[in-house]
Amino acid sequence: MTKHKIDPRVQRTRRLIMDAFIELSSQKEFRDITVKDITIEAMINRATFYYHFHDIYDLQEKALSEVLLIKLECNESYKLNEDLFINVFKAITNFQCALSNRCHRGYEDTIARIIREQLEVIFYTVLKKEHPTHDQEALKIASGMLSWAIYGASIKWKQQTTQTSEQYIQSIIPYLMRGIA
Amino acid sequence: MTKHKIDPRVQRTRRLIMDAFIELSSQKEFRDITVKDITIEAMINRATFYYHFHDIYDLQEKALSEVLLIKLECNESYKLNEDLFINVFKAITNFQCALSNRCHRGYEDTIARIIREQLEVIFYTVLKKEHPTHDQEALKIASGMLSWAIYGASIKWKQQTTQTSEQYIQSIIPYLMRGIA
DNA sequence: CGTAATATGTTGCTTATACGACATATTGAT
DNA sequence: ATCAATATGTCGTATAAGCAACATATTACG
């Protein structure tokens, strides 16, 4: 049960805006999508857009975060183990490949930040559950380092062509597991 | 271009309500569908439902009219000829068959009225276009009689089992065409 | 480079929708 | 037949969304 119920109109309108962005992003590059495009596709007023989002960049981040979140398929049964790393790595590499022809220059930093932030939340949640008595700050640092590490691995993976993402992450999991679990 | 623009919120909300009704009517009989069911399925407030519809019966009529309208596939190129009668007849018999297992007793009159009203509008529009100088009242009477006739034929068709709806209407078209075109 | 067209961002006001409360009606169970 | 549960219908209030207008910024074109 949600502790705080969101107004259904807000849910619907945000859904309309997010879906409009996703639809438009399959038709044109991110930098060519305007707030006007969004409002036409979603059939909402421009003032309504600004009621929900700061600007087009705010929407891009939130929309991409949601897309990644869906790919990550987070669930409460996640444990800090090999399966988690494999799933997470496949999700972020899939995410990056899906974006590679929609946003060239200028979005790498945004995407990188979105990926790291999502990973950090996941790792922190899992670590918190497995080590409830540990210092919160230490868990934050650990999850932050892990997210950077996984992200760095994905960048390295992209630079090579001989291994699938699953093969690649499996080859580096021993380096991840040592010193954590 | 519409001469009067409808508020997008009104359009969206009515769409939600109509779609909720259609969805529910594939799961339960009409008489078992409540306003509460509709508001849950559509995710709208009960007061909002009453803002748009008088009661559940008002919704049923409007929703069914829309379903029939879609089946009729009205377009501006319609002419009062054999094709029109065949299309119209197939649409209303299809409509009646689709409903036959969702609303038993108590809805025949509502459905009959919906069918006749839609047919009357279609026939009047076509007659008006083909005989623009004719007396408006005479055109109304002619379209009314035609709609009753076609509806009556559909009732007769249901009572027999040897002919398809298309065969049936073709066998009675000569009786319809004489005295009109 | 200058100008026109287009997009952005904001504002005040209006309309549509949500909520909770309430009285009444209907339905289901005993 | 009675009572409890559920549904209906309405109301006052609050919030979200739409509209038109406006000033400013950006983009496209000649």
Side-chain angles (χ1 to χ4, degrees), chain A residues 16-25 27 33-44, chain B residues 12:
Chain A
L16 288 171
I17 296 171
M18 293 282 201
D19 289 350
F21 177 75
I22 298 303
E23 173 59 31
L24 287 165
S25 69
Q27 296 167 15
I33 298 173
T34 67
V35 169
K36 184 180 164 73
D37 289 333
I38 298 288
T39 58
I40 291 172
E41 177 73 21
M43 289 183 273
I44 61 156
Chain B
R12 280 198 288 274

Side-chain angles (χ1 to χ4, degrees), chain A residues 76-123:
Chain A
E76 298 189 352
S77 63
Y78 260 166
K79 292 186 187 326
L80 199 62
N81 59 15
E82 183 167 322
D83 282 347
L84 174 64
F85 289 124
I86 291 171
N87 279 355
V88 147
F89 196 72
K90 281 167 69 177
I92 69 174
T93 50
N94 183 266
F95 181 66
Q96 282 163 315
C97 290
L99 290 174
S100 65
N101 59 358
R102 294 188 203 164
C103 40
H104 296 307
R105 218 164 290 283
Y107 285 90
E108 296 90 348
D109 289 348
T110 298
I111 292 167
R113 188 158 42 70
I114 290 170
I115 291 174
R116 290 196 308 268
E117 281 172 5
Q118 294 274 10
L119 292 188
E120 190 166 341
V121 168
I122 291 172
F123 290 144

Side-chain angles (χ1 to χ4, degrees), chain B residues 160-171:
Chain B
Q160 62 84 60
T161 56
T162 60
Q163 282 181 302
T164 68
S165 62
E166 189 160 349
Q167 289 170 333
Y168 195 86
I169 189 63
Q170 280 179 326
S171 71

